[in-house]
Amino acid sequence: MVIPADSLKGRVAVVTGAGSGLGKSTAKILAHAGAKVLVLGRTAEEIQCTAEEILHSGGEAVPIVVDVARDAEVKAAMAQAAGVEGQIDMVFANAGINGVWAPIELIEEKEWDETLAINLKGTFLTIKHAVPFMKQAGGSVVVTASINGTRIFSNSGATAYACSKAGQVALVKMLALELARHRIRVNVICPGAIESRIDESTEKRELEGIHLPVEFPQGNVPLTGGCSGTAGQVAELVWFLASDLSSHVTGTEVYIDGAQSLLQG
Protein backbone atom coordinates (compact mmCIF):
# COMPACT_ATOMS: atom_id res chain seq x y z
CA MET A 1 0.00 0.00 0.00
CA VAL A 2 1.26 3.47 -0.85
CA ILE A 3 0.40 5.75 2.07
CA PRO A 4 0.36 9.47 1.20
CA ALA A 5 3.07 11.25 3.16
CA ASP A 6 0.76 14.15 4.02
CA SER A 7 -2.41 12.23 4.90
CA LEU A 8 -1.93 12.87 8.65
CA LYS A 9 0.10 16.06 8.38
CA GLY A 10 -0.22 18.35 11.38
CA ARG A 11 -1.87 15.74 13.57
CA VAL A 12 -0.72 14.35 16.90
CA ALA A 13 -0.79 10.57 17.35
CA VAL A 14 -0.22 8.59 20.55
CA VAL A 15 0.91 4.96 20.26
CA THR A 16 1.21 2.74 23.33
CA GLY A 17 3.33 -0.38 23.33
CA ALA A 18 5.40 1.34 20.65
CA GLY A 19 8.72 -0.26 21.47
CA SER A 20 8.23 -3.31 19.28
CA GLY A 21 5.83 -5.30 17.11
CA LEU A 22 2.54 -3.76 16.05
CA GLY A 23 3.13 -0.58 18.02
CA LYS A 24 6.51 0.11 16.49
CA SER A 25 5.37 -0.57 12.92
CA THR A 26 2.30 1.61 13.40
CA ALA A 27 4.27 4.47 14.94
CA LYS A 28 6.57 4.48 11.92
CA ILE A 29 3.70 4.44 9.41
CA LEU A 30 1.80 7.22 11.19
CA ALA A 31 4.98 9.30 11.21
CA HIS A 32 5.51 8.61 7.51
CA ALA A 33 1.96 9.88 6.94
CA GLY A 34 2.95 13.17 8.54
CA ALA A 35 1.80 12.81 12.15
CA LYS A 36 3.81 13.83 15.16
CA VAL A 37 4.02 10.54 17.03
CA LEU A 38 4.27 10.15 20.78
CA VAL A 39 5.99 6.82 21.29
CA LEU A 40 4.85 5.31 24.60
CA GLY A 41 6.14 2.18 26.32
CA ARG A 42 7.57 0.72 29.52
CA THR A 43 11.10 0.11 28.23
CA ALA A 44 13.09 3.29 27.64
CA GLU A 45 15.61 1.69 25.29
CA GLU A 46 12.94 0.25 23.00
CA ILE A 47 10.85 3.39 22.61
CA GLN A 48 13.99 5.48 22.16
CA CYS A 49 14.99 3.17 19.30
CA THR A 50 11.56 3.56 17.69
CA ALA A 51 11.72 7.34 18.00
CA GLU A 52 15.22 7.48 16.55
CA GLU A 53 14.23 5.40 13.55
CA ILE A 54 11.35 7.79 12.89
CA LEU A 55 13.59 10.84 13.26
CA HIS A 56 16.22 9.37 10.93
CA SER A 57 13.48 8.90 8.32
CA GLY A 58 12.53 12.55 8.51
CA GLY A 59 9.53 12.11 10.81
CA GLU A 60 8.68 13.63 14.17
CA ALA A 61 8.60 11.49 17.31
CA VAL A 62 8.89 11.87 21.08
CA PRO A 63 9.49 8.87 23.39
CA ILE A 64 7.62 8.78 26.71
CA VAL A 65 8.18 6.07 29.30
CA VAL A 66 4.86 5.04 30.84
CA ASP A 67 3.17 2.06 32.47
CA VAL A 68 -0.36 2.11 31.04
CA ALA A 69 -1.72 0.38 34.15
CA ARG A 70 -0.79 3.36 36.34
CA ASP A 71 -3.27 6.20 36.31
CA ALA A 72 -0.92 9.05 37.24
CA GLU A 73 1.66 8.02 34.65
CA VAL A 74 -0.89 7.81 31.86
CA LYS A 75 -2.44 11.16 32.79
CA ALA A 76 0.98 12.85 32.75
CA ALA A 77 1.92 11.18 29.45
CA MET A 78 -1.25 12.43 27.72
CA ALA A 79 -0.67 15.96 28.96
CA GLN A 80 2.85 15.79 27.58
CA ALA A 81 1.57 14.36 24.31
CA ALA A 82 -0.95 17.18 23.91
CA GLY A 83 1.83 19.73 24.40
CA VAL A 84 1.34 23.45 23.98
CA GLU A 85 -1.41 22.93 21.38
CA GLY A 86 -3.46 21.01 23.92
CA GLN A 87 -4.64 18.56 21.29
CA ILE A 88 -4.42 14.85 20.49
CA ASP A 89 -5.87 13.65 17.18
CA MET A 90 -5.27 9.92 17.21
CA VAL A 91 -4.68 7.21 19.83
CA PHE A 92 -3.54 3.66 19.16
CA ALA A 93 -4.15 1.80 22.44
CA ASN A 94 -1.97 -1.16 21.65
CA ALA A 95 -0.02 -2.02 24.82
CA GLY A 96 -0.70 -5.54 26.01
CA ILE A 97 0.65 -8.87 27.21
CA ASN A 98 -0.34 -12.50 26.75
CA GLY A 99 0.28 -13.19 30.43
CA VAL A 100 -0.03 -16.65 31.96
CA TRP A 101 -1.90 -19.43 30.16
CA ALA A 102 -2.84 -22.24 32.56
CA PRO A 103 -5.81 -24.22 33.89
CA ILE A 104 -8.13 -21.95 35.86
CA GLU A 105 -7.19 -23.47 39.23
CA LEU A 106 -3.50 -22.79 38.57
CA ILE A 107 -3.84 -19.12 37.61
CA GLU A 108 -2.75 -16.98 40.55
CA GLU A 109 -4.76 -13.90 41.47
CA LYS A 110 -1.76 -11.64 40.83
CA GLU A 111 -1.33 -13.18 37.36
CA TRP A 112 -4.98 -12.55 36.50
CA ASP A 113 -4.72 -9.00 37.84
CA GLU A 114 -1.59 -8.20 35.83
CA THR A 115 -3.12 -9.32 32.53
CA LEU A 116 -6.36 -7.41 33.10
CA ALA A 117 -4.50 -4.37 34.43
CA ILE A 118 -2.30 -3.94 31.38
CA ASN A 119 -4.70 -5.09 28.67
CA LEU A 120 -8.08 -3.78 29.82
CA LYS A 121 -7.43 -1.21 32.54
CA GLY A 122 -4.52 0.14 30.51
CA THR A 123 -6.81 0.65 27.51
CA PHE A 124 -9.38 2.36 29.72
CA LEU A 125 -6.80 4.72 31.23
CA THR A 126 -5.24 5.51 27.86
CA ILE A 127 -8.56 6.55 26.36
CA LYS A 128 -9.81 8.25 29.54
CA HIS A 129 -6.86 10.61 29.71
CA ALA A 130 -6.63 11.23 25.96
CA VAL A 131 -10.29 12.16 25.44
CA PRO A 132 -10.12 15.62 27.09
CA PHE A 133 -7.51 16.58 24.49
CA MET A 134 -9.53 15.12 21.61
CA LYS A 135 -12.94 16.69 22.23
CA GLN A 136 -12.22 20.05 20.62
CA ALA A 137 -11.36 18.77 17.15
CA GLY A 138 -12.47 15.13 17.25
CA GLY A 139 -10.26 12.27 16.20
CA SER A 140 -9.74 8.53 16.11
CA VAL A 141 -9.09 5.89 18.75
CA VAL A 142 -7.99 2.40 17.69
CA VAL A 143 -7.67 -0.44 20.21
CA THR A 144 -5.74 -3.68 19.69
CA ALA A 145 -7.81 -6.68 20.79
CA SER A 146 -7.49 -10.17 19.27
CA ILE A 147 -9.35 -13.02 17.63
CA ASN A 148 -8.92 -14.75 21.02
CA GLY A 149 -11.87 -14.00 23.27
CA THR A 150 -13.91 -12.59 20.38
CA ARG A 151 -14.12 -15.37 17.76
CA ILE A 152 -11.75 -18.05 19.06
CA PHE A 153 -12.00 -19.77 22.43
CA SER A 154 -9.89 -22.86 21.79
CA ASN A 155 -6.56 -21.55 23.07
CA SER A 156 -6.50 -23.61 26.24
CA GLY A 157 -5.67 -21.72 29.41
CA ALA A 158 -5.78 -18.25 27.88
CA THR A 159 -8.68 -17.30 30.14
CA ALA A 160 -7.36 -14.00 31.49
CA TYR A 161 -6.11 -12.91 28.08
CA ALA A 162 -9.37 -13.80 26.32
CA CYS A 163 -11.45 -11.97 28.94
CA SER A 164 -9.29 -8.86 28.60
CA LYS A 165 -9.73 -8.88 24.82
CA ALA A 166 -13.50 -9.41 24.99
CA GLY A 167 -13.64 -6.53 27.46
CA GLN A 168 -11.80 -4.25 25.06
CA VAL A 169 -14.40 -4.88 22.34
CA ALA A 170 -17.23 -4.02 24.76
CA LEU A 171 -15.36 -0.90 25.87
CA VAL A 172 -14.98 0.26 22.28
CA LYS A 173 -18.68 -0.17 21.49
CA MET A 174 -19.71 1.72 24.62
CA LEU A 175 -17.34 4.60 23.94
CA ALA A 176 -18.18 4.81 20.23
CA LEU A 177 -21.68 5.92 21.24
CA GLU A 178 -20.59 8.09 24.15
CA LEU A 179 -17.97 9.99 22.17
CA ALA A 180 -19.74 10.27 18.81
CA ARG A 181 -21.14 13.71 19.70
CA HIS A 182 -17.54 14.91 20.01
CA ARG A 183 -16.66 13.47 16.57
CA ILE A 184 -14.33 10.95 18.17
CA ARG A 185 -14.39 7.61 16.38
CA VAL A 186 -13.53 4.48 18.37
CA ASN A 187 -12.73 1.18 16.67
CA VAL A 188 -11.00 -2.06 17.57
CA ILE A 189 -8.78 -4.33 15.50
CA CYS A 190 -8.66 -8.09 16.08
CA PRO A 191 -5.43 -9.56 14.72
CA GLY A 192 -4.89 -13.27 14.28
CA ALA A 193 -1.46 -14.87 13.98
CA ILE A 194 0.96 -11.98 13.40
CA GLU A 195 4.74 -12.08 13.32
CA SER A 196 5.70 -10.44 16.62
CA ARG A 197 7.54 -11.00 19.90
CA ILE A 198 4.50 -11.15 22.20
CA ASP A 199 4.69 -14.94 22.46
CA GLU A 200 8.12 -14.59 24.06
CA SER A 201 6.48 -13.19 27.18
CA THR A 202 3.80 -15.89 27.40
CA GLU A 203 4.08 -18.31 30.31
CA LYS A 204 2.27 -21.61 29.67
CA ARG A 205 1.75 -24.14 32.47
CA GLU A 206 0.24 -27.63 32.48
CA LEU A 207 -2.00 -27.14 29.45
CA GLU A 208 -1.86 -30.72 28.21
CA GLY A 209 -4.68 -31.90 30.45
CA ILE A 210 -7.20 -29.28 29.30
CA HIS A 211 -6.39 -29.04 25.60
CA LEU A 212 -9.19 -30.42 23.45
CA PRO A 213 -8.14 -32.84 20.65
CA VAL A 214 -9.09 -30.59 17.74
CA GLU A 215 -7.20 -30.75 14.47
CA PHE A 216 -7.38 -27.98 11.91
CA PRO A 217 -6.68 -28.41 8.21
CA GLN A 218 -3.19 -27.76 6.92
CA GLY A 219 -2.69 -24.04 6.41
CA ASN A 220 -4.68 -22.65 9.33
CA VAL A 221 -4.57 -19.13 7.85
CA PRO A 222 -6.59 -19.81 4.68
CA LEU A 223 -5.71 -16.62 2.82
CA THR A 224 -1.96 -17.24 2.99
CA GLY A 225 -1.73 -21.02 3.18
CA GLY A 226 -0.79 -20.94 6.84
CA CYS A 227 1.60 -17.98 6.88
CA SER A 228 1.16 -15.40 9.63
CA GLY A 229 0.32 -11.81 8.88
CA THR A 230 2.85 -9.03 9.39
CA ALA A 231 3.04 -6.07 11.72
CA GLY A 232 3.17 -3.85 8.65
CA GLN A 233 -0.22 -5.09 7.45
CA VAL A 234 -1.74 -4.27 10.83
CA ALA A 235 -0.09 -0.84 10.81
CA GLU A 236 -1.67 -0.08 7.44
CA LEU A 237 -5.09 -0.93 8.87
CA VAL A 238 -4.51 1.38 11.83
CA TRP A 239 -3.47 4.18 9.46
CA PHE A 240 -6.73 3.71 7.53
CA LEU A 241 -8.77 3.91 10.73
CA ALA A 242 -6.80 7.00 11.81
CA SER A 243 -7.23 8.76 8.47
CA ASP A 244 -10.16 10.61 6.98
CA LEU A 245 -10.81 7.63 4.69
CA SER A 246 -12.64 5.98 7.60
CA SER A 247 -14.57 9.08 8.65
CA HIS A 248 -17.88 7.17 8.96
CA VAL A 249 -16.50 4.09 10.71
CA THR A 250 -16.93 3.79 14.48
CA GLY A 251 -17.86 1.16 17.05
CA THR A 252 -16.57 -1.55 14.72
CA GLU A 253 -14.26 -4.51 15.25
CA VAL A 254 -12.09 -5.24 12.22
CA TYR A 255 -10.62 -8.74 11.94
CA ILE A 256 -7.21 -8.94 10.30
CA ASP A 257 -6.39 -12.64 10.30
CA GLY A 258 -6.61 -14.04 6.77
CA ALA A 259 -9.86 -15.85 7.77
CA GLN A 260 -8.05 -17.79 10.52
CA SER A 261 -10.79 -17.17 13.09
CA LEU A 262 -13.52 -18.27 10.67
CA LEU A 263 -11.78 -21.62 10.34
CA GLN A 264 -10.80 -22.10 13.97
CA GLY A 265 -13.60 -20.26 15.76
Side-chain angles (χ1 to χ4, degrees):
M1 178 186 295
V2 178
I3 296 177
D6 61 349
S7 57
L8 298 178
K9 186 176 181 180
R11 301 184 191 181
V12 176
V14 174
V15 179
T16 69
S20 62
L22 307 185
K24 181 172 185 174
S25 291
T26 299
K28 293 170 71 173
I29 278 187
L30 297 180
H32 169 76
K36 175 184 178 181
V37 181
L38 285 301
V39 181
L40 275 58
R42 290 193 296 179
T43 306
E45 295 79 7
E46 288 187 347
I47 60 171
Q48 183 64 41
C49 180
T50 299
E52 288 177 357
E53 289 183 27
I54 290 172
L55 293 171
H56 290 162
S57 298
E60 191 174 0
V62 178
I64 303 176
V65 176
V66 61
D67 182 344
V68 295
R70 297 184 178 275
D71 182 82
E73 291 187 24
V74 178
K75 184 176 182 179
M78 292 304 164
Q80 182 178 346
V84 293
E85 294 85 3
Q87 183 172 319
I88 294 173
D89 303 288
M90 191 269 163
V91 173
F92 182 35
N94 167 72
I97 61 172
N98 275 356
V100 174
W101 291 17
I104 188 66
E105 67 269 28
L106 298 182
I107 299 175
E108 300 291 338
E109 180 182 10
K110 63 180 180 179
E111 295 167 343
W112 174 277
D113 287 347
E114 181 184 27
T115 300
L116 272 291
I118 295 174
N119 294 359
L120 186 53
K121 179 184 174 183
T123 299
F124 154 69
L125 291 175
T126 297
I127 300 173
K128 168 186 169 68
H129 290 302
V131 160
F133 301 108
M134 301 180 75
K135 282 186 173 181
Q136 180 177 353
S140 173
V141 175
V142 181
V143 173
T144 300
S146 173
I147 60 175
N148 293 297
T150 58
R151 274 186 179 169
I152 286 185
F153 298 89
S154 56
N155 278 333
S156 305
T159 310
Y161 179 78
C163 288
S164 72
K165 295 299 158 179
Q168 286 176 315
V169 173
L171 177 65
V172 161
K173 292 178 182 291
M174 291 295 295
L175 295 182
L177 281 173
E178 179 180 332
L179 300 176
R181 71 188 68 183
H182 303 291
R183 292 176 294 115
I184 299 173
R185 297 180 293 106
V186 190
N187 294 290
V188 56
I189 62 171
C190 299
I194 301 293
E195 296 173 357
S196 73
R197 289 165 42 196
I198 191 170
D199 286 340
E200 296 176 8
S201 62
T202 307
E203 181 182 344
K204 298 182 179 182
R205 296 199 303 260
E206 300 185 36
L207 297 176
E208 297 80 6
I210 63 171
H211 185 70
L212 295 173
V214 178
E215 292 186 9
F216 298 108
Q218 184 176 3
N220 59 12
V221 184
L223 190 64
T224 58
C227 295
S228 298
T230 67
Q233 289 171 317
V234 176
E236 290 172 350
L237 173 59
V238 177
W239 165 79
F240 168 75
L241 293 171
S243 75
D244 294 337
L245 292 175
S246 60
S247 61
H248 202 54
V249 181
T250 193
T252 299
E253 64 264 49
V254 182
Y255 287 84
I256 177 165
D257 68 348
Q260 178 186 5
S261 59
L262 295 178
L263 178 67
Q264 297 183 352

